[in-house]
Amino acid sequence: MSMIQNQLELKQARQQVMSSTQILQNLIPPTVSYTTQGNVLIIGPEDLARLAAERLSGMASRVILANDSITRQDEAHLEQVMNAAADIESYYNKLKSIKGFLGQFQVSVENDKAQGVVELSVVSIRQPHFDIILDLSQTPCINLEMLPAGYFYTGYDQHKIDEAIAQIPDMVGEFDKPRYVKANEDICAHSRNGVNGCNRCLDFCPADAISSIEQKIEIDPYLCHGAGSCTNLCPTGAISYDLPSPKALHGYLEKLIGRFRQQAQVAPVILFHDENVGAGFIDDNLSGDVLPVALEEITVASIDHWMAALAFGAREVLILNTDATAPTLTQMLHGELSLANRILDEMGQPQRIRLVSTEDLATIDEHLTVSNSWPVIVPLALQQTDIVNAKRDVLYQAIDHLNGQAAAVDTQLAIANVPYGKVVVNVDKCTLCMSCVATCPTQALKDGGDTPALLFLEQDCVQCGLCETSCPESVISLAAQVNFDQAQRQELKTLKEEAPFECITCGAPFATQSMVHKMLDMVGEHSAFNANIERLKMCGDCRVKDMFEDILQDPEKQLR
């Protein structure tokens, strides 16, 4: 009876805390608009396409692109097909490509007569595009996990065909949707000075909404579904979610967990779920100490949110994965969860972060009983800063706090292909040319100001590889690791330092010793320079003066 009473009290506390705690949102969020007239392209077997076209007679136009064999040959079916949409012409051209989204679909097909490619909408309805596509093909014509708005793929499934036909008439007009993410080109590690670096966001977008155009990351807001994989994986925070923003979600989690702990005197469990499919599995049967947090997609919350939730005092973080989650997102989650729990293992914390299925919800109470016996975390008071890479700063605040609550290790955990680690320089061959500093997007690499030196701050390094690729001497390499030694990680280290080379004429410092000696070694023996080798040891002003004095003293050089 006491257990039942305890659950009732926890559920009451949860209801009060969640009703009084809201995520701070932009009241006028940025949006994008789709405009459609109702021009529909139906692709698939001609019999299914004609029957579907008949049921869409209220649309502005209907065009059929027959690309599969007729599905049935019985007489009754064929007669029904012959009587359906008899006024609609079918096209049998080979499909080359489909690009676009609701209101802007461009469909290219082979032109049999001209042996080229034409836009089917121009040929069939004298319009630059189709508004909606109904794809009845056996295999989808667009092979993406998250399909563009306005593209309905049903295959031969009659139930799906019926659902699509019911929805399509409502897709005429003007529609707005959120512009889910925003990008800050200034801190993007994708490219610098023509050198390619980080491609993490490009590898995991299930909607193919991200591309590299002229070495800049471009996000198509019309294709974006708000999956959040790009914001999750971006190591610098250059791509960030907008609804909610990372700062707003961190603030919400801190308040939610803190208020529940204060009211219920229990460390809660955070359960991230998507607000569409996942929300359908959340009901009052859920244990009272589990606080559900709805997101557009479960990948909107990233490792900094998971770790911060634990540091705020949650005893576990669960992520509810459903069949509706794109496989690419699930793959990404497994990789990030593995990293997060290896970090927890290293510091002596239990594995407090888990991916759970809808079936796991039925037996979740058993595991919650186990986590109730884990050490309680003293809540972190997060220092929200306005530094450029706030995502990295929050993550390390959480890691250092959790580490301090456990074994307080000062080790370095080597893990391949993670955006944390250090830069290693072969100091004997480095000339301090500062090419690496010029390409570093997070300023983890800095110059020494008035002193020839290369400085490094490990906490800001995202292992993008721009410094390694851009180094003309090939003396830089990367070592991926998670450094638990906070002081060492936040120390501005000198990777190389040397005295400046002073001009042999005026004594002014103008280059590094290693740079001048390298020039002397490379060109000193060349016939074009050996007569004027001393000029390589002069600053720019003295070198020019020396050249003019040489010319003034030689009339033949003046004539030449």
Side-chain angles (χ1 to χ4, degrees):
M1 187 70 179
S2 61
M3 185 178 295
I4 296 175
Q5 182 65 32
N6 183 51
Q7 273 297 312
L8 288 173
E9 291 175 357
L10 288 174
K11 289 180 180 180
Q12 288 174 356
R14 176 175 65 193
Q15 183 179 6
Q16 291 173 9
V17 169
M18 296 201 69
S19 62
S20 63
T21 309
Q22 304 294 326
I23 298 180
L24 296 176
Q25 299 276 29
N26 187 350
L27 296 178
I28 309 177
T31 60
V32 294
S33 297
Y34 301 98
T35 302
T36 73
Q37 305 298 323
N39 298 309
V40 183
L41 172 65
I42 305 169
I43 306 174
E46 188 170 6
D47 55 336
L48 296 185
R50 286 199 171 277
L51 294 174
E54 179 70 18
R55 297 171 62 186
L56 292 170
S57 58
M59 303 304 291
S61 68
R62 297 156 293 163
V63 175
I64 293 173
L65 178 61
N67 67 343
D68 285 347
S69 302
I70 291 176
T71 60
R72 287 165 52 190
Q73 296 287 345
D74 59 278
E75 188 172 333
H77 176 71
L78 293 177
E79 184 175 352
Q80 184 183 10
V81 171
M82 291 292 291
N83 294 327
D87 58 327
I88 298 178
E89 182 179 357
S90 292
Y91 292 84
Y92 304 93
N93 308 65
K94 183 178 179 180
L95 178 66
K96 297 297 291 183
S97 68
I98 299 177
K99 297 178 181 178
F101 42 82
L102 178 65
Q104 294 286 335
F105 283 110
Q106 293 181 310
V107 180
S108 300
V109 296
E110 287 186 353
N111 184 353
D112 295 334
K113 296 179 181 179
Q115 294 184 344
V117 176
V118 296
E119 295 297 320
L120 183 58
S121 60
V122 175
V123 174
S124 59
I125 58 174
R126 303 296 186 269
Q127 295 291 331
H129 49 69
F130 292 107
D131 296 317
I132 301 164
I133 293 179
L134 174 58
D135 188 355
L136 312 175
S137 309
Q138 191 169 15
T139 57
C141 296
I142 296 181
N143 188 24
L144 291 173
E145 293 173 5
M146 288 185 166
L147 298 168
Y151 178 87
F152 295 84
Y153 175 70
T154 65
Y156 297 175
D157 188 322
Q158 191 58 51
H159 177 67
K160 291 182 178 179
I161 294 173
D162 293 341
E163 285 186 338
I165 289 175
Q167 294 177 47
I168 286 174
D170 296 329
M171 304 294 285
V172 179
E174 187 168 330
F175 308 91
D176 292 334
K177 82 162 185 178
R179 188 184 288 265
Y180 293 105
V181 300
K182 57 184 178 182
N184 181 355
E185 185 184 323
D186 292 339
I187 59 173
C188 179
H190 174 58
S191 178
R192 281 286 193 283
N193 302 336
V195 178
N196 186 65
C198 174
N199 294 307
R200 291 168 67 84
C201 62
L202 291 168
D203 296 334
F204 283 94
C205 180
D208 200 25
I210 305 177
S211 55
S212 176
I213 301 175
E214 295 181 355
Q215 296 184 315
K216 293 181 181 179
I217 291 295
E218 299 285 348
I219 302 172
D220 190 329
Y222 293 93
L223 294 177
C224 176
H225 281 258
S229 54
C230 55
T231 66
N232 194 305
L233 289 169
C234 180
T236 66
I239 303 178
S240 61
Y241 216 81
D242 204 36
L243 293 167
S245 68
K247 186 175 182 179
L249 184 53
H250 283 131
Y252 173 72
L253 291 171
E254 186 173 15
K255 290 178 182 177
L256 186 69
I257 295 166
R259 290 174 180 176
F260 184 85
R261 283 177 59 124
Q262 184 177 17
Q263 185 156 335
Q265 298 300 304
V266 172
V269 172
I270 293 296
L271 174 62
F272 290 115
H273 65 88
D274 72 277
E275 59 187 11
N276 293 318
V277 178
F281 293 91
I282 306 300
D283 55 33
D284 199 48
N285 293 323
L286 198 64
S287 180
D289 51 355
V290 178
L291 307 181
V293 177
L295 304 169
E296 182 73 22
E297 292 284 349
I298 52 176
T299 40
V300 170
S302 52
I303 190 170
D304 55 306
H305 296 105
W306 306 339
M307 289 293 189
L310 296 178
F312 294 148
R315 72 177 191 268
E316 276 193 277
V317 171
L318 308 179
I319 301 121
L320 179 59
N321 195 24
T322 70
D323 293 339
T325 305
T328 293
L329 301 184
T330 301
Q331 177 190 351
M332 187 209 76
L333 277 173
H334 280 300
E336 291 295 286
L337 282 166
S338 175
L339 169 61
N341 280 311
R342 285 190 67 182
I343 291 173
L344 293 173
D345 282 343
E346 183 73 10
M347 65 175 69
Q349 287 278 7
Q351 291 202 353
R352 296 178 181 267
I353 308 174
R354 288 190 296 138
L355 191 66
V356 297
S357 66
T358 54
E359 291 78 12
D360 293 331
L361 291 180
T363 58
I364 198 171
D365 290 350
E366 298 175 15
H367 197 277
L368 295 180
T369 302
V370 174
S371 66
N372 257 324
S373 64
W374 292 346
V376 177
I377 297 168
V378 177
L380 163 72
L382 181 66
Q383 301 297 314
Q384 289 274 16
T385 61
D386 293 324
I387 64 173
V388 174
N389 198 346
K391 176 179 181 176
R392 180 63 57 101
D393 183 61
V394 169
L395 174 63
Y396 275 123
Q397 281 190 59
I399 288 176
D400 292 336
H401 182 77
L402 293 170
N403 187 24
Q405 299 278 301
V409 298
D410 59 1
T411 56
Q412 291 78 45
L413 177 62
I415 309 178
N417 301 319
V418 297
Y420 319 100
K422 62 182 180 178
V423 168
V424 180
V425 176
N426 183 338
V427 294
D428 293 333
K429 295 183 178 179
C430 174
T431 62
L432 293 176
C433 69
M434 299 302 164
S435 295
C436 53
V437 173
T439 58
C440 182
T442 64
Q443 298 182 5
L445 288 167
K446 307 174 188 289
D447 62 40
D450 294 334
T451 302
L454 178 61
L455 311 178
F456 176 65
L457 186 66
E458 182 175 347
Q459 179 153 313
D460 289 344
C461 178
V462 297
Q463 298 283 290
C464 63
L466 285 169
C467 58
E468 183 179 25
T469 307
S470 63
C471 178
E473 284 100 14
S474 300
V475 298
I476 292 179
S477 59
L478 303 177
Q481 64 177 27
V482 178
N483 191 347
F484 292 91
D485 188 329
Q486 181 181 1
Q488 185 186 89
R489 194 184 66 237
Q490 294 179 343
E491 178 190 1
L492 188 61
K493 301 174 185 175
T494 301
L495 298 183
K496 177 168 182 176
E497 183 178 23
E498 62 181 50
F501 191 95
E502 297 176 349
C503 176
I504 60 174
T505 301
C506 69
F510 71 95
T512 63
Q513 293 274 351
S514 54
M515 179 66 75
V516 173
H517 289 308
K518 184 173 182 177
M519 287 192 298
L520 292 172
D521 291 341
M522 292 177 63
V523 302
E525 299 300 323
H526 195 281
S527 59
F529 293 94
N530 56 17
N532 302 301
I533 193 67
E534 294 302 299
R535 286 185 187 148
L536 294 176
K537 303 175 185 178
M538 299 178 187
C539 66
D541 291 342
C542 291
R543 190 178 303 125
V544 172
K545 290 178 182 177
D546 186 68
M547 290 171 62
F548 274 99
E549 287 176 1
D550 188 31
I551 292 173
L552 290 172
Q553 293 172 9
D554 188 340
E556 291 186 7
K557 286 184 179 179
Q558 295 177 32
L559 292 173
R560 290 199 297 270

